[in-house]
């Protein structure tokens, strides 16, 4: 029953708070004489409050495929730098100290954040912690989740994003295989089948990710009614809250452990 204008205004305020938080951190980097301009850009200094903003924040492990969205750089560049319907992605997370492949994934994302080809529309938030996570799950427009099925344990950050009206764009694994109903976010790829080839899976999921962004997520985000309201997008936000809040909680977790 929340009016469209009120729901939209609250989300805009949270998004602005996130971007202000990132700019303040970038400004502090700039005051460090050792910081290069590219490092300041990578911290999110050029992010646009009007652009569709995707969040990706979790531990950097190989199966979580943080670099899946970079699989076709030219296609991604077109999405990020579109003059009428731009997209930007905020990454955050850490790799385990002894996980060398995880560290390499993190380094690859950071290199992308400093790449001029992406026009400052890829950001990497350093020193990921609960404070950073709180800003992200409240302030981004879409929560991206790309683990390789069937390895996702749950996905609690995506649940927290949905509670804040941030729809998920995720593979059908972990909690999203249960939660996705076609109205509360978007699905990437097909459900897992035994014996599938991991490389073929990665290629198919990357293609699915680009296709869903190009044909569903981006057009819907930029669609406005005669009053300038993204009414159909706000419907997806509402459905994210309505479908997740009653079903995914610490209370349910403890209850199911006991049973």
């Amino acid at each position: 029953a929340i009016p469209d204008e009120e729901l939209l205004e609250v989300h805009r305020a949270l998004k602005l708070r996130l971007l202000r938080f990132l700019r303040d951190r970038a400004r502090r980097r700039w005051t460090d004489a050792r910081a290069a301009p590219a490092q300041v850009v990578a911290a999110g200094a050029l992010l646009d409050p009007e652009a569709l903003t995707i969040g990706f924040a979790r531990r950097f492990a190989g199966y979580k495929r943080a670099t899946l969205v970079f699989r076709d750089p030219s296609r991604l560049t077109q999405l990020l730098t579109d003059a009428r319907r731009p997209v930007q992605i905020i990454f955050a997370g850490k790799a385990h100290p002894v996980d060398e492949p995880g560290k390499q994934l993190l380094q690859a994302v950071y290199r992308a954040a400093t790449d001029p080809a992406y026009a400052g529309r890829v950001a990497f938030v350093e020193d990921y912690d609960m404070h950073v996570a709180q800003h992200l799950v409240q302030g981004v427009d879409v929560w991206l989740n790309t683990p390789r099925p069937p390895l996702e344990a749950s996905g609690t950050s995506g649940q927290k994003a949905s509670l804040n009206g941030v729809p998920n764009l995720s593979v059908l694994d972990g909690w999203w295989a249960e939660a996705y109903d076609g109205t509360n976010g978007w699905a990437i790829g097909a459900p897992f089948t035994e014996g599938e080839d991991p490389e073929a899976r990665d290629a198919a999921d990357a293609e699915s990710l680009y296709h869903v962004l190009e044909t569903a997520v981006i057009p819907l985000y930029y669609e406005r009614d005669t009053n300038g309201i993204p009414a159909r997008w706000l419907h997806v936000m509402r459905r994210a809250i309505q479908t997740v809040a009653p079903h995914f909680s610490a209370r349910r977790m403890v209850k199911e452990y006991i049973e």
Side-chain angles (χ1 to χ4, degrees):
I2 302 172
D4 281 351
E5 294 82 358
E6 186 174 342
L7 181 59
L8 181 61
E9 185 55 37
V10 169
H11 179 68
R12 279 177 173 166
L14 291 169
K15 186 175 183 179
L16 287 172
R17 188 175 74 167
L18 164 65
L19 298 186
R20 186 165 56 247
F21 170 72
L22 297 182
R23 282 196 301 270
D24 288 345
R25 289 166 65 100
R27 187 175 292 108
R28 288 196 295 271
R29 289 298 302 271
W30 185 238
T31 60
D32 184 347
R34 296 168 296 176
Q39 293 176 301
V40 179
V41 171
L46 300 183
L47 295 177
D48 179 359
E50 300 301 322
L52 170 62
T53 303
I54 299 171
F56 183 104
R58 54 191 42 83
R59 181 169 57 88
F60 274 71
Y63 79 91
K64 292 184 181 288
R65 301 189 297 182
T67 56
L68 188 69
V69 72
F70 298 107
R71 193 174 178 95
D72 187 337
S74 61
R75 195 168 176 182
L76 178 62
T77 300
Q78 291 178 346
L79 296 178
L80 298 181
T81 60
D82 187 293
R84 293 190 306 109
R85 303 189 305 184
V87 178
Q88 54 197 17
I89 311 175
I90 302 174
F91 289 88
K94 296 179 178 178
H96 191 280
V98 298
D99 183 1
E100 291 302 324
K103 292 184 200 177
Q104 292 170 7
L105 286 173
L106 191 153
Q107 291 165 356
V109 169
Y110 190 80
R111 284 195 298 271
T114 61
D115 188 340
Y118 295 130
R121 297 199 183 278
V122 177
F124 181 81
V125 186
E126 297 182 15
D127 301 322
Y128 181 60
D129 58 14
M130 291 179 66
H131 184 53
V132 173
Q134 179 183 0
H135 282 279
L136 287 170
V137 298
Q138 292 178 348
V140 299
D141 298 309
V142 177
W143 197 257
L144 179 62
N145 186 41
T146 56
R148 184 181 294 113
L151 301 175
E152 180 76 331
S154 176
T156 53
S157 59
Q159 294 168 12
K160 286 179 271 192
S162 285
L163 290 172
N164 285 279
V166 175
N168 275 252
L169 170 58
S170 174
V171 297
L172 292 167
D173 195 23
W175 77 288
W176 194 234
E178 174 189 346
Y180 174 66
D181 69 0
T183 70
N184 56 358
W186 300 271
I188 299 168
F192 173 73
T193 57
E194 290 290 342
E196 63 183 25
D197 176 60
E199 177 58 29
R201 176 77 198 206
D202 291 354
D205 283 353
E207 173 60 33
S208 176
L209 171 57
Y210 293 130
H211 178 75
V212 173
L213 283 171
E214 292 164 346
T215 63
V217 179
I218 297 171
L220 191 67
Y221 179 80
Y222 284 102
E223 178 186 291
R224 298 291 188 271
D225 63 18
T226 55
N227 296 317
I229 301 295
R232 293 207 303 152
W233 182 272
L234 292 172
H235 175 71
V236 179
M237 290 177 61
R238 280 193 181 85
R239 289 295 299 160
I241 300 169
Q242 291 170 342
T243 56
V244 173
H247 299 296
F248 298 91
S249 65
R251 180 184 184 278
R252 171 184 167 184
M253 177 185 67
V254 174
K255 184 172 182 288
E256 292 188 0
Y257 278 153
I258 293 171
E259 294 173 348

